[in-house]
């Protein structure tokens, strides 16, 4: 009986203990759940890249060998791969997005090689309507939130290291000034544009790891005629435009890292695997940019979609690899080869510019390809060999693509670029100076208008009465001038002029200035480096050599479809001048220390000598007596008798 | 006997669920649930390459051991990697002969260049940042965060120089930590400083749960390690060099504790005497793991709930759009001048008119006033 009871109680005990442990376990789990989790919204994580090629459209049309025809090809029926179908409606309308990537390699006449990456994401959605967008697929969430929160209509930001040498390299596909440049068009619904601009720059500085928070009213301008929106829109009220540059901004891997994370495939697949910072920054020119704008979806242009273009232009120096042979390969340039296209991309292509060498005399490209394409870019018709990465045969049997370009001869000179600009500071001393801007029109018989935008910081006080515009020695009066004077520590100078450049001439714009003295707390920690003045922007409609294609929605490679083209005889171009580096009169910052030392020394020596001279009195002193006398004196002192 | 059997059975049964609990218990014994790191390099100019290399090597270790970029505030006062003097751009080396590139390919610098100031550093620590500051530039710690703070640069007895133009004193730093403690912004804080006379910087601390390490005592200089002839400058400081070597052996599940960290870089290697301070730390330093500060606790919550995503309603626009003309010359020429808002006259103009009126009435007398009005 007792044993039974014992066993029963023991069994009960065991069950109870087990229950206790189970309860304790779950309690501990909930305890950890209560602690605040740092679920920080990491803006740079690429979320849905691993989804795979779910909604991708098969790229069947890539097989054809397409050549350019001046006549428009078949219209809306084509409805090619890139723009998502708007006519076909599913039962539940789903915002469709599309991603394309391309790389253009152009060997330059100076022997350098110019590589331009373009990644475009098109998304048929509306950020501006009431309902918030909550599901992001190819479009990065961080930028989508920026657009909807700050009511951005267009955003263009670029980070550049180096200066584009137009005379040696020709025109870039997408120009950019040295340093950082940001210009934004806001929607009409924004009430406080300046406040929104300040917040936007702070948010972008966090996204791109750049010190864009230094953009404030002292370097922001509101151009009145330049920088018209590149996307679609009817109203162009320049109150909603803001433009700022930071010429001192450094571009390094920390800017490239978040930029790469905005891509759908990241830097793991597709063309972005070539973007290795060690090679990219060891170049003569490096520029990365993000452009967001609304575009037409089809030729009817009844609906819009948001386009995000990420571009990266880099010019590799001939002498960098260290070998004298004129031979370029993807491996030499980027230290990587390509193995696959990005699975999320609907098109992934490499274009090599072979216009200068149609017969294969100057250079040879391997592996050879049959696909050729012609495109109208920068006013010229150029021929390209195309490598389609979505086709497996491009990669061959080794499963990797390493393009090789071998130069056979190095002759032939480049066509001179039609528009070219320079800027420099003249004068001597630290008080006054003169800014000279030179604009070259190299067209033999056509003249064209240019719009010059100059934004000079307030500490260079411009004297606009000394502004002169001369071409060919004669005065050239601009047909439009807009000048907004600066206010000390509030806003910079803004000078916009519409100048007609006569054919085959140099136009020189000069203006004198005076340097201001800054307050000593306003100096940077390294003031002797100098202070930068941002590049001037020259926007112009340059006459083109061949008739441009005005149908903006035909299937075009990305590099030729950035600037919208309205007329056939000219194309729009922007040229940036060099930034200026001026020295301001800098006080001696070690001055207090030096002054104190010097003053104290002078005072000590002067006062000390004077004091001594006035108060020193001389007393006659007996020479010290001998030892015996000293002992005798001591004894006498003890006795109380006067000494000897 | 039966009781003995049952007791052993009891202990056996109770032992197995206890082992994972013990491990779990150890996991949370330090009491922190997230880790943050604030890594600051305060020196500018090319010859201070080693300070940037110091900070980047600690950044690299901290990232390798698990702290994500969103929890690291990295402040570099100058750019060495893409500096035009750097013979190998986009790299910062810590060992000579270019063995180890601590800059890497995946680095995010939160404060760079002129942004690294005493004010910004103290604002990051105390959290008093302007509302438009982005998340990556904030230290969003709470009372269960373990924070690692690493400072390097040029310093002296009681101060640290920022960018050759300003200084932070040890009193300010101690007060900043006290503010953090009162605002419950940290659970435990490890402070490492690699400057000359670094021990003076932690002398004034008075907040609880602080542990501090310095590369040299008061009156001693911290020395740099080795120059690289190709780059031309010293690459690292000695203390951080041996700290990096020590940290390279630590992996995320390592059980090394703080006492091992105190032994890093003895006088024979460092020439200066590294110091440490643990009197404000409530736990025994031997029980504090290295990964408590250099590694990261990750919390994963698994949920079985599903959320229904609503489809956004497509609205069809019936109007046609078009691209804007980029350079409409005729429009620009005939642009009307902007309507300027009327501002009341400036103080100068008002003063001038007052003076004129005063002079007028002084000369001609007040009786003429009635003719005016």
């Amino acid at each position: 009986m007792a044993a039974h009871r014992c066993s029963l109680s023991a069994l009960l005990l065991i069950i109870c203990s087990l229950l206790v442990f189970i309860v304790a376990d779950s309690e501990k789990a909930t305890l950890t759940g209560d602690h605040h989790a740092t679920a920080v919204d990491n803006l740079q994580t690429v979320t849905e890249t691993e989804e795979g090629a779910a909604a991708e459209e098969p790229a069947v049309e890539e097989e054809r060998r397409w050549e350019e025809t001046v006549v428009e090809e078949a219209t809306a029926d084509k409805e090619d791969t890139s723009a998502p179908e708007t006519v076909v409606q599913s039962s539940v309308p789903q915002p469709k997005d599309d991603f394309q990537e391309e790389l253009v390699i152009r060997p330059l006449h100076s022997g350098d090689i110019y590589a331009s990456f373009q990644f475009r994401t098109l998304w048929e959605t509306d950020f501006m309507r009431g309902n918030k967008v909550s599901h992001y697929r190819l479009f990065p969430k961080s930028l989508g939130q920026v657009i909807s929160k700050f009511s951005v209509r267009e955003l263009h930001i670029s980070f550049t290291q180096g200066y584009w040498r137009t005379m040696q390299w020709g025109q870039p596909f997408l120009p950019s000034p040295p340093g950082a440049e940001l210009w934004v068009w806001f929607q009409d619904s924004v009430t406080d544009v300046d406040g929104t601009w300040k917040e936007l720059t702070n948010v972008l500085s966090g996204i791109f790891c750049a010190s864009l928070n230094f953009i404030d009213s002292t370097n922001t301008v509101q151009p009145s005629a330049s920088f018209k929106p590149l996307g679609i829109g009817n109203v162009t009220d320049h109150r909603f435009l803001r433009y700022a540059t930071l010429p001192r901004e450094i571009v390094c891997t920390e800017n490239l890292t978040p930029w790469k994370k905005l891509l759908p495939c990241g830097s793991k697949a597709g063309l972005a695997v070539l973007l290795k910072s060690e090679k990219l920054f060891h170049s003569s020119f490096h520029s990365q940019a993000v452009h967001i704008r609304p575009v037409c979806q089809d030729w009817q242009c009844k609906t819009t979609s948001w386009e995000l273009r990420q571009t990266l232009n880099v010019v590799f120096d001939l002498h960098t690899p260290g070998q004298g042979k004129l031979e370029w390969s993807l491996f030499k340039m980027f230290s990587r080869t390509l193995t696959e296209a990005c699975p999320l991309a609907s098109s992934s292509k490499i274009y090599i510019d072979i216009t200068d060498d149609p017969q294969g005399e100057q250079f040879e490209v391997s592996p050879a390809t049959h696909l050729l394409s012609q495109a109208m870019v920068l006013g010229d018709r150029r021929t390209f060999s195309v490598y389609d990465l979505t086709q497996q045969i491009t990669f061959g049997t080794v499963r990797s693509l390493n393009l090789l370009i071998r130069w056979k001869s190095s002759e032939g000179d480049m066509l001179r670029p039609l528009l070219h600009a320079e800027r420099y500071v003249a004068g001597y001393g630290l008080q006054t100076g003169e800014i000279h801007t030179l604009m070259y029109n190299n067209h033999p018989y056509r003249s064209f208008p240019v719009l010059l935008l100059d934004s000079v910081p307030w500490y260079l006080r411009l004297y606009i009465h000394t502004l002169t515009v001369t071409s060919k020695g004669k005065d050239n009066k601009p047909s439009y001038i807009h000048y907004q004077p600066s206010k000390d520590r509030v806003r910079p100078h803004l000078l916009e002029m519409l100048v007609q450049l006569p054919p085959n001439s140099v136009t020189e714009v000069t203006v004198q200035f005076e340097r201001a003295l800054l307050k000593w707390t306003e100096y940077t920690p390294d003031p002797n480096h100098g202070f930068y003045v941002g590049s001037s922007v020259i926007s112009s409609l340059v006459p083109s050599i061949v008739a441009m294609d005005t149908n903006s929605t035909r299937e075009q490679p990305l590099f030729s479809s950035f600037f919208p083209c309205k007329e056939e005889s000219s194309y729009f171009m922007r040229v940036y001048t060099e930034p200026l580096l001026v020295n301001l009169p800098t006080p001696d910052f070690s001055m207090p220390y030096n002054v104190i030392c010097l003053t104290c020394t002078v005072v000590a020596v002067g006062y000390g000598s004077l004091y001594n001279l006035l108060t020193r009195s001389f007393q006659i002193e007996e020479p010290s007596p001998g030892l015996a006398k000293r002992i005798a004196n001591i004894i006498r002192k003890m006795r109380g008798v006067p000494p000897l | 006997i039966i009781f003995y059997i049952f007791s052993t059975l009891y202990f056996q049964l109770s032992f197995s669920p206890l082992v994972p609990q013990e491990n779990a218990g150890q996991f949370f014994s330090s009491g922190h649930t997230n880790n943050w790191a604030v890594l600051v390099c305060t020196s500018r100019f090319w010859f201070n390459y080693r300070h940037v290399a110091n900070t980047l090597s600690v950044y690299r270790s901290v990232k390798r051991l698990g702290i994500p970029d969103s929890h690291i505030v990295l402040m570099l006062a100058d750019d060495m990697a893409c500096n035009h003097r750097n013979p190998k751009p986009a790299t910062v080396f810590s060992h000579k002969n270019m063995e180890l590139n601590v800059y890497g390919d995946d680095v995010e610098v939160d404060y760079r260049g002129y942004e690294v100031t005493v004010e910004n550093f103290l604002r990051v620590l105390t959290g008093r940042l302007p509302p438009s500051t982005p998340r990556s530039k904030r230290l969003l710690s709470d009372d269960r965060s373990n924070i690692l703070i690493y400072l390097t640069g040029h310093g002296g007895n009681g101060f640290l120089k920022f960018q050759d133009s300003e200084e932070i004193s040890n009193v300010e730093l101690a007060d900043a930590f006290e503010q953090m403690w009162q605002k419950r912004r940290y659970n435990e804080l490890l402070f490492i400083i690699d400057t000359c006379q670094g021990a003076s910087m932690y002398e004034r601390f008075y907040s609880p749960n602080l542990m501090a390490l310095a590369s040299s005592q008061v009156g001693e200089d911290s020395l740099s390690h080795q120059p690289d002839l190709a780059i031309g400058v010293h690459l690292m400081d000695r203390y951080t060099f041996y700290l990096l070597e020590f940290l390279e052996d630590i992996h995320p599940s390592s059980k090394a504790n703080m006492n091992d960290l105190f032994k890093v870089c003895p006088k024979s290697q460092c020439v200066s005497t590294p110091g440490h301070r643990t009197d404000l730390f409530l736990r025994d330093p031997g029980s504090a793991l290295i990964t408590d500060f250099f590694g990261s606790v990750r919390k994963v919550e698994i949920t079985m709930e599903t959320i229904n995503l609503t489809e956004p309603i497509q609205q069809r626009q019936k109007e046609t759009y078009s691209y804007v003309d980029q350079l409409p010359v005729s429009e620009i020429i005939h642009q009307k001048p902007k309507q300027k808002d009327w501002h009341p006259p400036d103080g100068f103009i008002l003063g001038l008119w007052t003076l004129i009126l005063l002079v007028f009435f002084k000369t001609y007398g007040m009786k003429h006033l009635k003719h005016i009005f």
Side-chain angles (χ1 to χ4, degrees):
Chain A
M1 200 33 87
H4 277 295
R5 214 178 293 132
C6 262
S7 64
L8 227 112
S9 64
L11 203 71
L12 274 170
L13 203 71
I14 290 163
I15 291 168
C16 283
S17 62
L18 277 170
L19 278 169
V20 160
F21 280 124
I22 289 167
V23 167
D25 253 37
S26 61
E27 243 181 43
K28 250 214 169 114
T30 52
L31 212 83
T32 57
D34 282 340
H35 285 310
H36 170 61
T38 55
V40 175
D41 185 23
N42 194 350
L43 294 175
Q44 274 101 8
T45 45
V46 180
T47 47
E48 288 96 355
T49 54
E50 265 61 63
E51 255 186 292
E56 182 196 320
E57 286 144 9
V60 242
E61 292 83 356
E62 313 307 326
E63 295 284 9
R64 64 186 167 88
R65 174 197 173 137
W66 36 295
E67 288 171 40
E68 218 277 325
T69 53
V70 184
V71 178
E72 288 181 358
E73 291 195 63
T75 56
D77 319 323
K78 264 282 181 161
E79 252 358 290
D80 285 314
T81 56
S82 48
E85 298 280 327
T86 57
V87 185
V88 175
Q89 283 197 32
S90 43
S91 55
V92 179
Q94 184 130 10
K96 283 182 279 247
D97 45 8
D98 170 78
F99 176 65
Q100 291 175 305
E101 53 179 19
E102 76 177 28
L103 163 63
V104 181
I105 300 183
R106 198 213 284 186
L108 300 169
H109 280 268
S110 56
D112 304 323
I113 198 146
Y114 171 34
S116 170
F117 291 82
Q118 288 217 20
F119 302 93
R120 176 170 89 158
T121 308
L122 273 176
W123 196 17
E124 186 194 328
T125 182
D126 206 346
F127 287 109
M128 297 303 139
R129 296 288 150 179
N131 43 349
K132 273 173 39 156
V133 180
S134 54
H135 179 59
Y136 289 85
R137 189 172 151 258
L138 295 175
F139 202 92
K141 184 175 174 189
S142 50
L143 292 179
Q145 286 180 332
V146 162
I147 296 173
S148 46
K149 178 158 184 224
F150 297 110
S151 308
V152 166
R153 185 170 140 194
E154 260 189 48
L155 189 142
H156 301 270
I157 183 167
S158 73
F159 297 98
T160 311
Q161 177 208 54
Y163 176 65
W164 183 267
R165 294 168 220 281
T166 315
M167 290 308 274
Q168 291 164 329
W169 297 339
Q171 293 290 351
F173 295 126
L174 283 160
S176 50
E181 184 203 39
L182 170 68
W183 59 281
V184 175
W185 272 93
F186 290 97
Q187 300 276 351
D188 302 349
S189 54
V190 174
T191 46
D192 177 18
V193 182
D194 286 320
T196 319
W197 168 253
K198 189 82 185 92
E199 284 180 27
L200 177 65
T201 52
N202 277 320
V203 165
L204 288 174
S205 85
I207 294 177
F208 291 105
C209 286
S211 33
L212 296 173
N213 46 327
F214 283 127
I215 291 179
D216 55 4
S217 63
T218 59
N219 47 24
T220 310
V221 290
Q222 194 182 317
S224 64
S226 310
F227 291 103
K228 297 257 181 254
L230 286 168
I232 56 177
N234 295 332
V235 183
T236 59
D237 186 356
H238 279 263
R239 276 184 302 136
F240 296 103
L241 168 65
R242 291 289 183 273
Y243 172 81
T245 46
L246 288 174
R248 185 86 201 262
E249 192 64 20
I250 303 159
V251 184
C252 208
T253 313
E254 64 245 23
N255 304 111
L256 186 63
T257 308
W259 189 92
K260 281 198 287 192
K261 288 184 180 165
L262 294 173
L263 296 171
C265 282
S267 52
K268 310 245 183 344
L271 290 170
V273 297
L274 297 175
L275 301 174
K276 289 291 155 198
S277 58
E278 284 188 18
K279 288 287 184 182
L280 283 180
F281 290 103
H282 203 36
S283 56
S284 310
F285 178 82
H286 169 97
S287 167
Q288 63 198 54
V290 172
H291 301 277
I292 302 177
R293 57 180 180 156
V295 293
C296 290
Q297 253 176 36
D298 51 6
W299 65 278
Q300 283 162 333
C301 216
K302 285 236 189 323
T303 45
T304 67
S305 42
W306 283 91
E307 180 196 72
L308 164 70
R309 266 191 209 236
Q310 288 180 256
T311 64
L312 197 140
N313 294 335
V314 62
V315 174
F316 289 106
D317 198 358
L318 175 68
H319 300 290
T320 313
Q323 280 148 341
K325 286 192 305 231
L326 295 177
E327 192 180 82
W328 287 102
S329 68
L330 279 186
F331 189 75
K332 249 198 208 154
M333 282 196 275
F334 302 109
S335 68
R336 288 286 184 285
T337 59
L338 291 165
T339 49
E340 57 167 349
C342 174
L344 297 167
S346 62
S347 109
S348 177
K349 293 199 172 80
I350 301 185
Y351 294 86
I352 307 212
D353 190 342
I354 55 171
T355 318
D356 300 322
D357 182 46
Q359 268 72 43
E361 295 159 347
Q362 289 229 352
F363 52 82
E364 173 199 328
V365 182
S366 70
T369 176
H370 327 289
L371 295 177
L372 287 177
S373 146
Q374 283 202 338
M376 227 83 83
V377 61
L378 298 171
D380 196 8
R381 179 178 297 137
R382 305 197 69 93
T383 320
F384 298 90
S385 352
V386 184
Y387 292 83
D388 191 348
L389 296 178
T390 48
Q391 305 295 314
Q392 267 306 107
I393 53 172
T394 321
F395 296 105
T397 45
V398 292
R399 300 293 170 99
S400 101
L401 177 66
N402 185 17
L403 291 171
L404 196 70
I405 302 170
R406 202 176 291 117
W407 258 270
K408 292 194 207 148
S409 64
S410 53
E411 359 175 297
D413 37 44
M414 190 181 63
L415 198 68
R416 268 208 314 180
L418 291 174
L419 176 65
H420 167 55
E422 283 173 359
R423 191 162 75 143
Y424 57 89
V425 171
Y428 59 90
L430 283 177
Q431 195 186 358
T432 53
E434 211 171 86
I435 298 181
H436 290 245
T437 312
L438 281 89
M439 295 182 281
Y440 296 83
N441 177 357
N442 293 322
H443 201 281
Y445 53 86
R446 290 271 302 269
S447 74
F448 51 84
V450 298
L451 190 59
L452 171 68
L453 170 74
D454 242 327
S455 162
V456 180
W458 65 267
Y459 40 80
L460 297 186
R461 302 186 206 276
L462 295 180
Y463 291 115
I464 290 294
H465 72 277
T466 58
L467 175 70
T468 61
V469 183
T470 49
S471 330
K472 290 182 171 171
K474 287 189 304 220
D475 218 11
N476 181 354
K477 194 162 161 357
S479 34
Y480 170 78
I481 298 186
H482 171 74
Y483 173 64
Q484 192 187 45
S486 70
K487 242 187 187 180
D488 269 9
R489 300 176 181 88
V490 171
R491 56 165 199 248
H493 298 270
L494 171 67
L495 178 63
E496 267 186 284
M497 292 193 300
L498 183 68
V499 183
Q500 192 80 7
L501 299 184
N504 210 11
S505 66
V506 180
T507 306
E508 187 169 339
V509 178
T510 60
V511 62
Q512 288 180 4
F513 66 86
E514 185 188 64
R515 294 167 220 238
L517 197 59
L518 299 179
K519 294 185 185 164
W520 76 287
T521 47
E522 287 172 350
Y523 286 96
T524 54
D526 52 352
N528 291 301
H529 179 91
F531 289 78
Y532 282 87
V533 178
S535 318
S536 304
V537 189
I538 295 165
S539 327
S540 70
L541 280 174
V542 180
S544 61
I545 302 169
V546 297
M548 297 293 292
D549 189 5
T550 53
N551 188 351
S552 55
T553 53
R554 227 178 48 93
E555 178 63 36
Q556 277 179 2
L558 292 176
F559 58 89
S560 59
S561 59
F562 187 62
F563 289 112
C565 203
K566 288 252 164 167
E567 39 180 292
E568 287 190 351
S569 58
S570 59
Y571 64 97
F572 178 75
M573 197 167 75
R574 231 175 238 144
V575 175
Y576 290 93
T577 62
E578 299 99 329
L580 300 173
L581 185 60
V582 291
N583 267 319
L584 289 183
T586 310
D588 182 7
F589 284 106
S590 58
M591 179 271 282
Y593 173 74
N594 290 339
V595 163
I596 291 171
C597 284
L598 196 67
T599 318
C600 290
T601 313
V602 166
V603 165
V605 169
Y607 179 71
S609 317
L610 203 65
Y611 181 79
N612 273 336
L613 276 172
L614 292 175
T615 56
R616 194 159 46 193
S617 62
F618 293 95
Q619 293 168 333
I620 302 174
E621 202 180 87
E622 299 283 340
S624 62
L627 187 63
K629 258 203 177 162
R630 263 193 276 154
I631 296 173
N633 276 339
I634 291 169
I635 296 169
R636 288 173 88 101
K637 207 166 28 169
M638 285 194 310
R639 279 172 58 198
V641 176
L644 290 166
Chain B
I1 299 171
I2 298 169
F3 191 72
Y4 176 71
I5 294 168
F6 279 128
S7 62
T8 49
L9 214 79
Y10 175 85
F11 279 125
Q12 231 171 25
L13 277 168
S14 62
F15 191 66
S16 35
L18 193 64
V19 169
Q21 267 184 34
E22 252 177 32
N23 286 342
Q26 227 171 30
F27 196 52
F28 292 109
S29 66
S30 68
H32 72 284
T33 58
N34 55 77
N35 282 84
W36 288 81
V38 178
L39 312 172
V40 184
C41 161
T42 60
S43 307
R44 174 168 276 278
F45 304 122
W46 176 245
F47 53 84
N48 290 321
Y49 182 101
R50 58 187 190 277
H51 296 141
V52 172
N54 288 351
T55 318
L56 285 172
S57 48
V58 178
Y59 172 77
R60 175 207 146 78
S61 310
V62 146
K63 235 175 130 165
R64 189 178 55 83
L65 291 172
I67 304 187
D69 268 315
S70 52
H71 283 224
I72 304 178
V73 177
L74 179 61
M75 304 171 81
L76 297 179
D78 202 359
D79 171 56
M80 300 300 168
C82 288
N83 197 317
H84 296 295
R85 289 185 165 99
N86 195 347
K88 293 207 84 181
T91 57
V92 174
F93 293 107
S94 62
H95 289 60
K96 69 171 180 208
N97 302 325
M98 302 182 188
E99 284 165 15
L100 180 62
N101 175 15
V102 288
Y103 195 56
D105 214 12
D106 186 18
V107 56
E108 288 180 18
V109 181
D110 302 304
Y111 287 85
R112 55 189 205 151
Y114 298 133
E115 292 179 295
V116 178
T117 56
V118 174
E119 185 190 337
N120 280 347
F121 175 59
L122 292 177
R123 280 186 187 277
V124 164
L125 287 185
T126 54
R128 295 177 197 276
L129 289 160
S132 54
T133 316
R135 255 208 157 121
S136 57
K137 288 185 166 175
R138 287 180 189 259
L139 180 65
L140 298 165
S141 56
D142 51 32
D143 65 326
R144 291 255 148 258
S145 311
N146 273 15
I147 308 182
L148 165 72
I149 296 187
Y150 177 80
L151 292 174
T152 182
H154 288 289
N157 191 355
F159 67 92
L160 170 63
K161 187 170 74 158
F162 266 69
Q163 292 218 47
D164 219 16
S165 65
E166 48 182 2
E167 303 164 348
I168 184 173
S169 65
N170 47 5
V171 178
E172 277 177 349
L173 199 56
D175 287 341
F177 287 152
E178 176 64 15
Q179 263 197 53
M180 285 175 79
W181 173 252
Q182 293 196 0
K183 288 170 80 167
R184 300 276 177 266
R185 279 171 70 78
Y186 70 90
N187 175 35
E188 282 168 355
L189 202 139
L190 176 63
F191 175 77
I192 305 183
I193 183 161
D194 188 351
T195 63
C196 301
Q197 306 192 49
S200 62
M201 289 305 282
Y202 61 64
E203 272 173 1
R204 300 293 192 114
F205 288 175
Y206 55 94
S207 320
N209 271 345
L210 290 177
M211 192 180 337
L213 277 111
S215 59
S216 55
Q217 300 292 335
V218 175
E220 284 180 351
D221 286 339
S222 289
L223 301 177
S224 57
H225 187 61
Q226 43 178 246
D228 180 290
L229 296 174
I231 298 179
V233 284
H234 284 262
L235 295 182
M236 282 276 267
D237 277 334
R238 283 176 188 257
Y239 182 72
T240 314
F241 182 81
Y242 290 108
L243 182 70
L244 176 67
E245 264 186 21
F246 171 74
L247 288 175
E248 289 284 304
D249 291 331
I250 306 283
H251 51 89
S253 56
S254 158
K255 295 279 175 232
N257 56 35
M258 284 296 158
N259 285 331
D260 304 325
L261 195 61
F262 297 152
K263 294 196 204 102
V264 163
C265 207
K267 195 169 164 90
S268 54
Q269 285 175 327
C270 251
V271 184
S272 58
T273 322
H276 55 89
R277 181 177 175 177
T278 52
D279 56 317
L280 294 166
F281 201 67
L282 297 178
R283 281 193 295 154
D284 174 36
S287 68
L289 300 176
I290 302 274
T291 50
D292 278 351
F293 293 101
F294 287 88
S296 172
V297 175
R298 304 283 203 115
K299 196 179 159 329
V300 177
E301 220 175 273
I302 302 174
T303 171
M304 295 297 180
E305 293 176 11
T306 55
I307 303 171
N308 286 328
L309 300 170
T310 55
E311 302 289 353
I313 303 154
Q314 202 84 6
Q315 294 195 0
R316 295 266 149 217
Q317 287 291 317
K318 285 306 159 215
E319 27 178 308
T320 36
Y321 299 100
S322 60
Y323 286 101
V324 182
D325 212 354
Q326 287 297 303
L327 196 71
V329 180
S330 49
E331 214 182 280
I332 291 173
I333 293 175
H334 297 114
Q335 213 162 336
K336 278 208 217 63
K338 279 191 298 203
Q339 295 292 5
K340 285 272 188 314
D341 303 315
W342 180 80
H343 292 287
D346 225 350
F348 174 70
I349 302 292
L350 273 174
L352 196 65
W353 276 110
T354 320
L355 186 69
I356 292 170
L357 284 171
L358 255 155
V359 168
F360 175 75
F361 286 116
K362 212 56 198 256
T363 45
Y364 292 108
M366 295 301 277
K367 61 182 186 292
H368 288 273
L369 253 181
K370 62 173 192 294
H371 294 292
I372 313 292
F373 297 108

